[in-house]
Amino acid sequence: MRTVVVEGPANIRVDTRPDPVLTGPDGVIIAVSAAGICGSDLHFYEGDYPMAEPIALGHEAVGTVVEAGPDVRTVKVGDEVMVSSVAGCGSCPGCATNDPVMCHSGLNIFGGGVLPGAQTDLLAVHAADFQARKIPEGITTEQALLLTDNLATGWAAAQRAHIPYGGTVAVIGLGAVGLCALRSAFAHGAATVFAVDRVPGRLQRAADWGATPIEPPAVEAILSATGGRGADAVIDAVATDASLTDALFAVRPGGTVSVVGVHDLQPFPFPALGCLIRSITVRWTTAPVQRTWPELIPLLQSGRLDVDGIFTRTLPLADAAAAYATAASRSGEDVKILLRP
């Protein structure tokens, strides 16, 4: 089978590896029909994380079950399924909450060096009754891919931001997660969403969706627009030192900063005294993917939540190197890339 591998900064190749085997009686093998490139994949591509050896990339996949272990109950051979990017053991009290982050054995993420990468022809999935779900009727391939990570992450970011009905929210970073968070903030009752990014095309896309576009540095503009008070909530979908600092100073006293961006390995100089004096709540979230599905699927099926336009380009798996270069350009035309094995 073919698998997308990163060997170092800006060094992507499509490797040929042996086909996977079942991980156990509770596992399945999936023939991947579509995989997404996530912003967090770019941390490996851009050299933010050290690598002792090449890593098979990707944690967003949908496809067809081609083999299933005897203990698998919820999906079967021939089913079109989506796979949660975040994985747990599926059998502990933590996983019983439908939140893989709570797994007593510790969470894992596909394509991070422990579990196999999802940008591949064939993907082995353990604890399939927990990790995989048959794609419901009325859910498109693009929507299903977003449900495996980006939409679940953006939705959780909005949930944990404590957005008051009619309130103001600032979303920093308008990649796929940020745009999902923007739509989710409106769905959670925000009247005004400030959309912060440096890329004009992404700002325009956010404006088309009803947000107020702002180029960074954003603190002054947000304070000015809110009478000096700040936004009720700030969602940081970037998590650089600069974006985190902006988020903490753009939120109102007593407000919440919800962070779902992936920081690098360096310590962040947290302005603790200012946050203490202003009673700021800061929440960091790895998405409880499976727990979001019962909420998000009906919203997508009914059209109450719209995520069309987040995938902007589709390329074959063989063109993975070009796809990663396109994603890393962070242009206004290209937000999220879909790979087709």
Side-chain angles (χ1 to χ4, degrees):
M1 69 173 188
R2 299 168 304 160
T3 296
V4 176
V5 172
V6 60
E7 294 190 298
N11 188 355
I12 292 284
R13 64 182 171 85
V14 179
D15 199 7
T16 300
R17 296 187 173 186
D19 290 352
V21 297
L22 290 174
T23 58
D26 65 351
V28 296
I29 304 295
I30 293 170
V32 177
S33 58
I37 295 179
C38 181
S40 56
D41 292 328
L42 296 179
H43 282 285
F44 293 104
Y45 179 78
E46 294 174 338
D48 294 334
Y49 299 150
M51 293 187 302
E53 58 185 22
I55 291 177
L57 287 173
H59 50 261
E60 304 170 356
V62 301
T64 304
V65 178
V66 294
E67 187 177 356
D71 293 347
V72 179
R73 297 288 178 263
T74 59
V75 297
K76 63 184 186 301
V77 172
D79 283 347
E80 296 290 325
V81 299
M82 55 190 184
V83 181
S84 170
S85 58
V86 188
C89 72
S91 58
C92 71
C95 288
T97 67
N98 275 334
D99 183 352
V101 178
M102 300 297 119
C103 180
H104 288 196
S105 300
L107 69 88
N108 273 302
I109 297 175
F110 286 93
V114 177
L115 296 180
Q119 294 163 9
T120 185
D121 288 317
L122 295 169
L123 179 65
V125 178
H126 68 286
D129 287 342
F130 182 63
Q131 255 75 255
R133 172 165 177 165
K134 185 176 179 179
I135 297 175
E137 185 178 348
I139 297 297
T140 68
T141 295
E142 290 80 6
Q143 289 172 334
L145 269 180
L146 291 173
L147 283 166
T148 68
D149 180 10
N150 289 172
L151 180 54
T153 300
W155 183 257
Q159 279 186 324
R160 290 169 58 82
H162 290 153
I163 300 168
Y165 288 108
T168 58
V169 179
V171 176
I172 300 177
L174 301 178
V177 170
L179 289 174
C180 286
L182 183 153
R183 300 311 296 265
S184 298
F186 280 124
H188 279 83
T192 301
V193 177
F194 301 111
V196 182
D197 204 287
R198 298 183 184 278
V199 181
R202 297 189 176 195
L203 290 169
Q204 184 59 54
R205 183 173 278 105
D208 292 342
W209 284 359
T212 302
I214 294 177
E215 291 189 39
V219 175
E220 232 178 82
I222 292 169
L223 291 177
S224 175
T226 56
R229 185 160 175 78
D232 295 308
V234 179
I235 297 171
D236 186 351
V238 183
T240 62
D241 285 5
S243 68
L244 288 167
T245 301
D246 278 358
L248 293 169
F249 285 99
V251 72
R252 66 163 172 80
T256 300
V257 173
S258 179
V259 184
V260 288
V262 181
H263 196 260
D264 59 28
L265 299 179
Q266 300 304 311
F268 169 61
F270 190 83
L273 179 59
C275 291
L276 170 72
I277 291 171
R278 298 170 60 235
S279 295
I280 304 303
T281 297
V282 183
R283 310 187 78 171
W284 308 75
T285 304
T286 294
V289 178
Q290 292 89 323
R291 200 174 71 197
T292 68
W293 287 346
E295 299 166 345
L296 288 170
I297 289 168
L299 288 170
L300 291 169
Q301 289 171 321
S302 67
R304 295 290 298 274
L305 184 63
D306 177 15
V307 292
D308 290 347
I310 290 178
F311 278 101
T312 52
R313 188 184 295 251
T314 298
L315 291 170
L317 189 75
D319 290 347
Y324 267 85
T326 299
S329 72
R330 295 176 174 86
S331 72
E333 293 74 30
D334 291 300
V335 176
K336 189 166 180 67
I337 313 298
L338 187 150
L339 292 174
R340 289 280 189 187

Coordinates of all heavy atoms in Angstrom, one line a residue, residues 116-209:
P116 N -0.8 4.4 13.0 CA -0.5 4.6 11.6 C -1.1 5.9 11.1 O -2.1 6.4 11.6 CB -1.1 3.4 10.9 CG -2.2 2.9 11.9 CD -1.7 3.2 13.2
G117 N -0.5 6.4 10.0 CA -1.1 7.6 9.4 C -2.3 7.3 8.5 O -2.4 6.2 7.9
A118 N -3.2 8.3 8.5 CA -4.4 8.1 7.7 C -4.4 8.5 6.3 O -5.3 8.3 5.5 CB -5.6 8.9 8.4
Q119 N -3.3 9.1 5.9 CA -3.1 9.5 4.5 C -2.4 8.3 3.8 O -1.2 8.2 3.5 CB -2.3 10.7 4.3 CG -3.0 11.9 4.9 CD -2.0 13.1 5.2 OE1 -0.9 13.1 4.9 NE2 -2.5 14.1 5.9
T120 N -3.3 7.3 3.4 CA -2.8 6.0 3.0 C -3.9 5.3 2.2 O -5.0 5.7 2.2 CB -2.4 5.2 4.3 OG1 -1.9 4.0 3.9 CG2 -3.7 4.9 5.1
D121 N -3.5 4.2 1.6 CA -4.5 3.3 0.9 C -5.3 2.5 1.9 O -6.6 2.4 1.8 CB -3.8 2.4 0.0 CG -3.3 3.1 -1.3 OD1 -4.0 4.0 -1.8 OD2 -2.1 2.8 -1.7
L122 N -4.7 1.9 2.9 CA -5.3 1.1 3.9 C -4.9 1.5 5.3 O -3.8 1.7 5.6 CB -4.9 -0.4 3.6 CG -5.3 -1.0 2.3 CD1 -4.6 -2.4 2.1 CD2 -6.8 -1.2 2.3
L123 N -5.9 1.5 6.2 CA -5.7 1.9 7.6 C -6.3 0.9 8.5 O -7.4 0.5 8.5 CB -6.4 3.3 7.8 CG -6.3 3.9 9.2 CD1 -4.9 4.3 9.5 CD2 -7.2 5.1 9.3
A124 N -5.4 0.5 9.5 CA -5.8 -0.4 10.5 C -6.3 0.4 11.7 O -5.6 1.3 12.2 CB -4.6 -1.3 11.0
V125 N -7.5 0.1 12.2 CA -8.2 0.8 13.3 C -8.5 -0.1 14.4 O -9.2 -1.1 14.2 CB -9.4 1.5 12.8 CG1 -10.1 2.2 13.9 CG2 -9.1 2.5 11.6
H126 N -7.9 0.1 15.6 CA -8.2 -0.7 16.7 C -9.5 -0.3 17.4 O -10.0 0.9 17.2 CB -7.1 -0.7 17.7 CG -6.9 0.6 18.4 ND1 -6.3 1.7 17.8 CD2 -7.2 1.0 19.7 CE1 -6.3 2.7 18.6 NE2 -6.8 2.4 19.7
A127 N -10.1 -1.1 18.3 CA -11.3 -0.7 19.0 C -12.3 0.0 18.1 O -12.8 1.1 18.3 CB -11.0 0.2 20.2
A128 N -12.6 -0.7 17.0 CA -13.4 0.0 15.9 C -14.8 0.4 16.4 O -15.3 1.4 15.9 CB -13.5 -1.0 14.7
D129 N -15.4 -0.3 17.3 CA -16.7 0.1 17.8 C -16.7 1.5 18.4 O -17.7 2.2 18.5 CB -17.3 -0.9 18.8 CG -17.7 -2.2 18.1 OD1 -17.9 -2.2 16.9 OD2 -17.9 -3.2 18.8
F130 N -15.5 1.9 19.0 CA -15.3 3.2 19.6 C -14.8 4.2 18.6 O -15.2 5.3 18.5 CB -14.4 3.1 20.8 CG -14.2 4.3 21.5 CD1 -15.2 5.0 22.2 CD2 -12.9 4.9 21.6 CE1 -15.0 6.2 22.9 CE2 -12.7 6.1 22.3 CZ -13.7 6.7 22.9
Q131 N -13.8 3.8 17.8 CA -13.1 4.7 16.9 C -13.9 5.1 15.6 O -13.7 6.2 15.1 CB -11.7 4.2 16.5 CG -10.6 4.8 17.2 CD -10.4 4.4 18.7 OE1 -10.8 5.1 19.6 NE2 -10.0 3.2 18.9
A132 N -14.6 4.1 15.1 CA -15.2 4.3 13.7 C -16.7 4.3 13.8 O -17.3 3.7 14.7 CB -14.8 3.1 12.8
R133 N -17.3 5.1 12.9 CA -18.8 5.1 12.9 C -19.2 5.1 11.4 O -18.6 5.8 10.5 CB -19.3 6.4 13.5 CG -20.8 6.6 13.3 CD -21.4 7.6 14.2 NE -22.8 7.8 13.9 CZ -23.7 8.4 14.7 NH1 -23.3 8.8 15.8 NH2 -24.9 8.5 14.3
K134 N -20.3 4.4 11.1 CA -20.8 4.4 9.8 C -21.3 5.8 9.4 O -21.9 6.5 10.3 CB -22.0 3.4 9.7 CG -22.6 3.3 8.3 CD -23.7 2.2 8.3 CE -24.3 2.1 6.9 NZ -25.3 1.1 6.8
I135 N -20.9 6.2 8.2 CA -21.3 7.6 7.8 C -22.8 7.7 7.7 O -23.4 6.9 6.9 CB -20.6 8.0 6.5 CG1 -19.1 8.0 6.7 CG2 -21.1 9.4 6.1 CD1 -18.3 8.3 5.4
P136 N -23.5 8.6 8.5 CA -24.9 8.6 8.4 C -25.5 9.1 7.1 O -24.8 9.8 6.3 CB -25.3 9.6 9.6 CG -24.0 9.7 10.4 CD -22.9 9.5 9.5
E137 N -26.7 8.8 6.8 CA -27.4 9.3 5.6 C -27.4 10.8 5.6 O -27.6 11.5 6.6 CB -28.8 8.7 5.6 CG -29.5 9.1 4.3 CD -30.9 8.5 4.3 OE1 -31.2 7.6 5.2 OE2 -31.7 8.8 3.4
G138 N -27.1 11.4 4.5 CA -27.2 12.8 4.3 C -25.9 13.5 4.7 O -25.8 14.8 4.6
I139 N -24.9 12.8 5.1 CA -23.6 13.4 5.4 C -22.6 13.2 4.2 O -22.4 12.0 3.8 CB -23.0 12.8 6.7 CG1 -23.9 13.1 7.9 CG2 -21.6 13.3 7.0 CD1 -24.0 14.6 8.2
T140 N -22.1 14.2 3.7 CA -21.1 14.1 2.6 C -19.8 13.7 3.0 O -19.4 13.7 4.2 CB -21.0 15.5 1.8 OG1 -20.3 16.4 2.7 CG2 -22.4 16.1 1.5
T141 N -18.9 13.3 2.0 CA -17.6 12.9 2.3 C -16.8 14.1 3.0 O -16.1 13.9 4.0 CB -16.8 12.6 1.0 OG1 -17.4 11.4 0.5 CG2 -15.4 12.3 1.3
E142 N -17.0 15.3 2.5 CA -16.3 16.4 3.1 C -16.7 16.7 4.6 O -15.9 16.9 5.5 CB -16.5 17.7 2.3 CG -15.8 17.7 0.9 CD -16.5 16.9 -0.1 OE1 -17.7 16.4 0.2 OE2 -16.0 16.7 -1.2
Q143 N -18.1 16.6 4.8 CA -18.6 16.8 6.2 C -18.0 15.7 7.1 O -17.7 15.9 8.2 CB -20.1 16.8 6.1 CG -20.7 18.0 5.5 CD -22.2 17.8 5.3 OE1 -22.7 16.7 5.2 NE2 -22.9 19.0 5.3
A144 N -18.0 14.4 6.6 CA -17.5 13.3 7.4 C -16.1 13.5 7.8 O -15.7 13.2 8.9 CB -17.7 12.0 6.6
L145 N -15.3 14.0 6.8 CA -13.9 14.2 7.1 C -13.7 15.3 8.2 O -12.9 15.2 9.1 CB -13.1 14.7 5.9 CG -12.4 13.6 5.0 CD1 -11.8 14.2 3.8 CD2 -11.4 12.8 5.9
L146 N -14.5 16.4 8.1 CA -14.5 17.4 9.1 C -14.9 16.9 10.5 O -14.4 17.3 11.5 CB -15.3 18.6 8.7 CG -14.8 19.4 7.5 CD1 -15.8 20.5 7.1 CD2 -13.5 20.1 7.8
L147 N -15.9 15.9 10.5 CA -16.3 15.3 11.7 C -15.2 14.5 12.4 O -15.3 14.3 13.6 CB -17.5 14.5 11.5 CG -18.9 15.2 11.3 CD1 -19.9 14.3 10.7 CD2 -19.4 15.8 12.6
T148 N -14.2 14.1 11.7 CA -13.2 13.3 12.3 C -12.2 14.1 13.1 O -11.5 13.6 14.0 CB -12.3 12.5 11.2 OG1 -11.6 13.5 10.4 CG2 -13.2 11.7 10.3
D149 N -12.2 15.5 12.9 CA -11.3 16.3 13.6 C -11.7 17.8 13.6 O -12.1 18.3 14.7 CB -9.9 16.2 13.1 CG -8.9 17.0 13.8 OD1 -9.2 17.6 14.9 OD2 -7.7 17.2 13.3
N150 N -11.6 18.5 12.5 CA -11.6 19.9 12.5 C -13.0 20.5 13.0 O -13.0 21.5 13.8 CB -11.4 20.5 11.1 CG -9.9 20.3 10.7 OD1 -9.6 20.6 9.5 ND2 -9.0 19.9 11.5
L151 N -14.1 19.9 12.6 CA -15.4 20.4 13.0 C -15.6 20.1 14.5 O -16.1 20.9 15.3 CB -16.5 19.9 12.2 CG -17.9 20.3 12.6 CD1 -18.0 21.9 12.6 CD2 -18.9 19.8 11.6
A152 N -15.2 18.9 14.9 CA -15.3 18.5 16.3 C -14.5 19.4 17.2 O -14.9 19.8 18.3 CB -14.9 17.0 16.5
T153 N -13.3 19.8 16.7 CA -12.4 20.7 17.4 C -13.0 22.1 17.5 O -13.0 22.7 18.6 CB -11.0 20.7 16.8 OG1 -10.5 19.4 16.8 CG2 -10.1 21.6 17.5
G154 N -13.5 22.6 16.4 CA -14.0 23.9 16.4 C -15.3 24.0 17.3 O -15.5 25.0 18.0
W155 N -16.1 22.9 17.2 CA -17.3 22.9 18.0 C -17.0 22.8 19.5 O -17.6 23.6 20.3 CB -18.1 21.6 17.6 CG -19.4 21.5 18.3 CD1 -19.7 20.6 19.3 CD2 -20.7 22.2 18.0 NE1 -21.1 20.8 19.7 CE2 -21.7 21.7 18.9 CE3 -21.0 23.2 17.1 CZ2 -23.0 22.2 18.8 CZ3 -22.3 23.6 17.0 CH2 -23.3 23.1 17.9
A156 N -16.0 22.0 19.9 CA -15.6 21.9 21.3 C -15.0 23.2 21.8 O -15.2 23.7 22.9 CB -14.6 20.8 21.5
A157 N -14.3 23.9 20.9 CA -13.7 25.2 21.2 C -14.8 26.2 21.6 O -14.7 27.0 22.6 CB -12.9 25.8 20.1
A158 N -15.9 26.2 20.8 CA -17.0 27.1 21.0 C -17.8 26.7 22.3 O -18.1 27.6 23.1 CB -17.9 27.2 19.8
Q159 N -18.0 25.4 22.5 CA -18.7 25.0 23.7 C -17.9 25.4 25.0 O -18.5 25.8 25.9 CB -18.8 23.4 23.7 CG -19.9 22.9 22.8 CD -20.1 21.4 23.0 OE1 -19.1 20.7 23.1 NE2 -21.3 20.9 23.0
R160 N -16.6 25.2 24.9 CA -15.8 25.5 26.1 C -15.5 27.0 26.3 O -14.8 27.3 27.3 CB -14.6 24.6 26.1 CG -14.9 23.1 26.3 CD -13.8 22.2 26.0 NE -12.6 22.5 26.8 CZ -12.4 22.1 28.1 NH1 -13.4 21.4 28.7 NH2 -11.3 22.3 28.7
A161 N -15.9 27.8 25.4 CA -15.7 29.2 25.5 C -16.7 30.0 26.3 O -16.6 31.2 26.5 CB -15.6 29.9 24.1
H162 N -17.8 29.3 26.7 CA -18.8 29.9 27.6 C -19.4 31.2 26.9 O -19.4 32.3 27.4 CB -18.3 30.3 28.9 CG -18.0 29.1 29.8 ND1 -17.1 29.1 30.8 CD2 -18.5 27.9 29.8 CE1 -17.0 27.9 31.4 NE2 -17.9 27.2 30.8
I163 N -19.8 31.0 25.6 CA -20.3 32.1 24.9 C -21.7 32.5 25.4 O -22.6 31.7 25.3 CB -20.4 31.8 23.4 CG1 -19.0 31.4 22.8 CG2 -21.0 32.9 22.5 CD1 -19.0 30.8 21.5
P164 N -21.9 33.7 25.8 CA -23.3 34.1 26.2 C -24.1 34.4 25.0 O -23.6 34.8 23.9 CB -23.1 35.4 27.0 CG -21.8 36.0 26.4 CD -20.9 34.8 26.0
Y165 N -25.4 34.1 25.1 CA -26.3 34.4 23.9 C -26.3 35.9 23.6 O -26.4 36.7 24.6 CB -27.8 33.9 24.2 CG -27.9 32.4 24.2 CD1 -28.1 31.7 25.4 CD2 -27.9 31.7 23.0 CE1 -28.2 30.3 25.4 CE2 -28.0 30.3 23.0 CZ -28.2 29.7 24.2 OH -28.3 28.3 24.1
G166 N -26.1 36.2 22.4 CA -26.0 37.6 22.0 C -24.6 38.2 22.3 O -24.5 39.4 22.1
G167 N -23.7 37.4 22.6 CA -22.4 37.9 23.0 C -21.4 38.1 21.9 O -21.8 37.9 20.7
T168 N -20.2 38.5 22.2 CA -19.2 38.8 21.2 C -18.0 37.7 21.4 O -17.6 37.4 22.5 CB -18.6 40.2 21.4 OG1 -18.0 40.3 22.7 CG2 -19.6 41.2 21.1
V169 N -17.6 37.2 20.2 CA -16.5 36.2 20.2 C -15.5 36.7 19.2 O -15.8 37.2 18.1 CB -17.1 34.8 19.8 CG1 -16.0 33.8 19.8 CG2 -18.2 34.4 20.8
A170 N -14.2 36.5 19.5 CA -13.1 36.6 18.6 C -12.5 35.3 18.3 O -12.2 34.5 19.2 CB -12.1 37.6 19.1
V171 N -12.4 35.0 17.0 CA -11.7 33.8 16.5 C -10.4 34.1 15.9 O -10.4 34.9 14.9 CB -12.6 33.0 15.6 CG1 -11.8 31.7 15.1 CG2 -13.9 32.5 16.2
I172 N -9.3 33.7 16.5 CA -8.0 34.0 15.9 C -7.5 32.8 15.1 O -7.3 31.7 15.6 CB -7.0 34.3 17.1 CG1 -7.5 35.5 17.9 CG2 -5.6 34.6 16.5 CD1 -6.6 35.8 19.1
G173 N -7.2 33.1 13.8 CA -6.8 32.0 12.9 C -7.9 31.5 12.1 O -8.8 30.9 12.7
L174 N -7.9 31.6 10.8 CA -9.0 31.2 9.9 C -8.6 30.1 9.0 O -9.0 30.1 7.8 CB -9.5 32.4 9.2 CG -10.0 33.6 10.0 CD1 -10.5 34.8 9.1 CD2 -11.1 33.2 11.0
G175 N -7.9 29.1 9.5 CA -7.7 27.9 8.8 C -9.0 27.1 9.0 O -10.0 27.6 9.4
A176 N -8.9 25.8 8.7 CA -10.1 24.9 8.8 C -10.7 24.9 10.2 O -11.9 25.0 10.4 CB -9.8 23.5 8.3
V177 N -9.9 24.8 11.2 CA -10.4 24.7 12.6 C -11.0 26.1 13.0 O -12.1 26.1 13.6 CB -9.3 24.3 13.6 CG1 -9.7 24.5 15.0 CG2 -8.9 22.9 13.4
G178 N -10.3 27.2 12.6 CA -10.8 28.5 12.9 C -12.2 28.7 12.3 O -13.1 29.3 12.9
L179 N -12.3 28.4 11.0 CA -13.6 28.6 10.3 C -14.7 27.7 10.9 O -15.8 28.1 11.0 CB -13.4 28.3 8.8 CG -12.5 29.3 8.0 CD1 -12.3 28.8 6.6 CD2 -13.2 30.7 8.0
C180 N -14.3 26.5 11.3 CA -15.3 25.6 12.0 C -15.7 26.3 13.3 O -16.9 26.2 13.7 CB -14.8 24.2 12.2 SG -14.7 23.2 10.7
A181 N -14.7 26.8 14.0 CA -15.0 27.5 15.3 C -15.9 28.7 15.1 O -16.8 29.0 15.9 CB -13.7 27.9 16.0
L182 N -15.7 29.4 14.0 CA -16.5 30.6 13.7 C -17.9 30.2 13.5 O -18.8 30.8 14.1 CB -15.9 31.3 12.4 CG -16.5 32.6 11.9 CD1 -15.4 33.3 11.1 CD2 -17.7 32.3 11.0
R183 N -18.2 29.2 12.7 CA -19.5 28.8 12.4 C -20.2 28.2 13.7 O -21.3 28.4 14.0 CB -19.6 27.7 11.3 CG -19.1 28.2 10.0 CD -19.6 29.5 9.5 NE -21.1 29.4 9.3 CZ -21.7 29.2 8.1 NH1 -20.9 29.0 7.0 NH2 -23.0 29.2 8.0
S184 N -19.3 27.5 14.5 CA -19.8 27.0 15.8 C -20.2 28.1 16.8 O -21.2 28.0 17.5 CB -18.8 26.0 16.4 OG -18.6 24.9 15.5
A185 N -19.4 29.2 16.8 CA -19.7 30.3 17.7 C -21.1 30.9 17.4 O -21.8 31.2 18.3 CB -18.6 31.3 17.6
F186 N -21.4 31.1 16.1 CA -22.7 31.6 15.7 C -23.8 30.6 16.2 O -24.8 31.0 16.7 CB -22.8 31.8 14.2 CG -22.2 33.1 13.8 CD1 -21.2 33.1 12.8 CD2 -22.6 34.3 14.3 CE1 -20.7 34.3 12.3 CE2 -22.1 35.5 13.8 CZ -21.1 35.5 12.9
A187 N -23.5 29.3 16.0 CA -24.5 28.3 16.4 C -24.7 28.2 17.9 O -25.8 27.8 18.4 CB -24.0 26.9 15.9
H188 N -23.7 28.7 18.7 CA -23.8 28.7 20.1 C -24.4 30.0 20.6 O -24.3 30.3 21.8 CB -22.5 28.4 20.8 CG -22.1 27.0 20.8 ND1 -21.6 26.3 19.8 CD2 -22.3 26.0 21.8 CE1 -21.4 25.0 20.1 NE2 -21.9 24.8 21.3
G189 N -24.8 30.9 19.7 CA -25.5 32.1 20.2 C -24.8 33.4 20.1 O -25.3 34.4 20.5
A190 N -23.6 33.4 19.5 CA -22.9 34.7 19.4 C -23.6 35.6 18.4 O -24.0 35.1 17.4 CB -21.4 34.4 18.9
A191 N -23.7 36.9 18.8 CA -24.3 37.8 17.9 C -23.2 38.4 17.0 O -23.5 38.8 15.8 CB -25.0 38.9 18.6
T192 N -22.0 38.6 17.5 CA -20.9 39.2 16.8 C -19.7 38.3 16.9 O -19.3 37.9 18.0 CB -20.5 40.6 17.3 OG1 -21.7 41.4 17.2 CG2 -19.4 41.2 16.5
V193 N -19.1 38.0 15.7 CA -17.8 37.2 15.7 C -16.8 38.0 15.0 O -16.9 38.3 13.8 CB -18.0 35.8 15.1 CG1 -16.7 35.1 15.0 CG2 -19.0 35.0 15.8
F194 N -15.7 38.3 15.7 CA -14.5 39.0 15.1 C -13.6 37.9 14.5 O -13.3 37.0 15.3 CB -13.8 39.8 16.1 CG -14.6 40.9 16.7 CD1 -15.0 40.9 18.0 CD2 -15.0 42.0 15.9 CE1 -15.7 41.9 18.6 CE2 -15.8 43.0 16.5 CZ -16.2 42.9 17.9
A195 N -13.3 38.0 13.3 CA -12.4 36.9 12.6 C -11.1 37.5 12.3 O -10.9 38.5 11.6 CB -13.1 36.5 11.3
V196 N -10.0 36.9 13.0 CA -8.7 37.5 12.9 C -7.8 36.6 12.1 O -7.6 35.4 12.3 CB -8.1 37.7 14.3 CG1 -6.8 38.3 14.3 CG2 -9.1 38.5 15.2
D197 N -7.2 37.2 11.1 CA -6.2 36.5 10.3 C -5.4 37.5 9.4 O -5.8 38.7 9.3 CB -6.9 35.5 9.3 CG -6.0 34.4 8.9 OD1 -5.1 34.6 8.1 OD2 -6.2 33.3 9.4
R198 N -4.3 37.1 8.9 CA -3.4 38.0 8.1 C -3.7 37.9 6.6 O -3.3 38.7 5.8 CB -1.9 37.7 8.3 CG -1.5 37.9 9.7 CD 0.0 37.7 9.9 NE 0.5 37.8 11.2 CZ 0.8 39.0 11.8 NH1 0.6 40.1 11.1 NH2 1.1 39.0 13.1
V199 N -4.5 36.8 6.2 CA -4.7 36.5 4.8 C -6.0 37.1 4.3 O -7.0 36.7 4.8 CB -4.7 35.0 4.6 CG1 -4.8 34.7 3.1 CG2 -3.4 34.4 5.1
P200 N -5.9 38.1 3.4 CA -7.2 38.7 2.9 C -8.2 37.7 2.4 O -9.4 37.9 2.7 CB -6.7 39.6 1.8 CG -5.2 39.9 2.1 CD -4.7 38.7 2.7
G201 N -7.8 36.7 1.7 CA -8.8 35.8 1.2 C -9.6 35.0 2.3 O -10.8 34.8 2.2
R202 N -8.9 34.7 3.4 CA -9.5 34.0 4.5 C -10.4 35.0 5.3 O -11.5 34.6 5.7 CB -8.5 33.4 5.4 CG -7.7 32.3 4.7 CD -6.8 31.5 5.6 NE -6.2 30.5 4.8 CZ -5.5 29.4 5.4 NH1 -5.5 29.3 6.7 NH2 -5.0 28.5 4.6
L203 N -10.0 36.3 5.4 CA -10.8 37.3 6.0 C -12.1 37.5 5.2 O -13.2 37.6 5.8 CB -10.1 38.6 6.1 CG -8.9 38.6 7.1 CD1 -8.1 39.9 7.0 CD2 -9.5 38.5 8.6
Q204 N -12.0 37.5 3.9 CA -13.2 37.6 3.0 C -14.1 36.5 3.2 O -15.4 36.6 3.2 CB -12.8 37.8 1.6 CG -13.9 38.1 0.6 CD -14.7 39.3 1.0 OE1 -14.1 40.4 1.1 NE2 -16.0 39.2 1.2
R205 N -13.6 35.2 3.3 CA -14.4 34.1 3.5 C -15.2 34.2 4.8 O -16.4 33.9 4.9 CB -13.6 32.8 3.5 CG -14.3 31.5 3.6 CD -13.5 30.3 3.4 NE -13.2 30.0 2.0 CZ -12.1 30.2 1.3 NH1 -11.1 30.8 1.9 NH2 -12.0 30.0 0.0
A206 N -14.5 34.6 5.8 CA -15.2 34.8 7.1 C -16.2 35.9 7.1 O -17.3 35.8 7.6 CB -14.1 35.2 8.2
A207 N -15.9 37.0 6.3 CA -16.9 38.0 6.2 C -18.2 37.5 5.4 O -19.3 37.9 5.8 CB -16.3 39.2 5.4
D208 N -17.9 36.7 4.4 CA -19.1 36.1 3.7 C -20.0 35.3 4.6 O -21.1 35.1 4.3 CB -18.6 35.3 2.5 CG -17.9 36.1 1.4 OD1 -18.1 37.3 1.4 OD2 -17.1 35.5 0.6
W209 N -19.4 34.8 5.7 CA -20.2 34.0 6.6 C -20.7 34.8 7.8 O -21.2 34.2 8.7 CB -19.3 32.8 7.1 CG -19.1 31.7 6.2 CD1 -19.6 31.6 4.9 CD2 -18.3 30.5 6.4 NE1 -19.2 30.4 4.3 CE2 -18.4 29.8 5.2 CE3 -17.5 30.1 7.4 CZ2 -17.7 28.5 5.0 CZ3 -16.9 28.8 7.3 CH2 -17.0 28.1 6.1

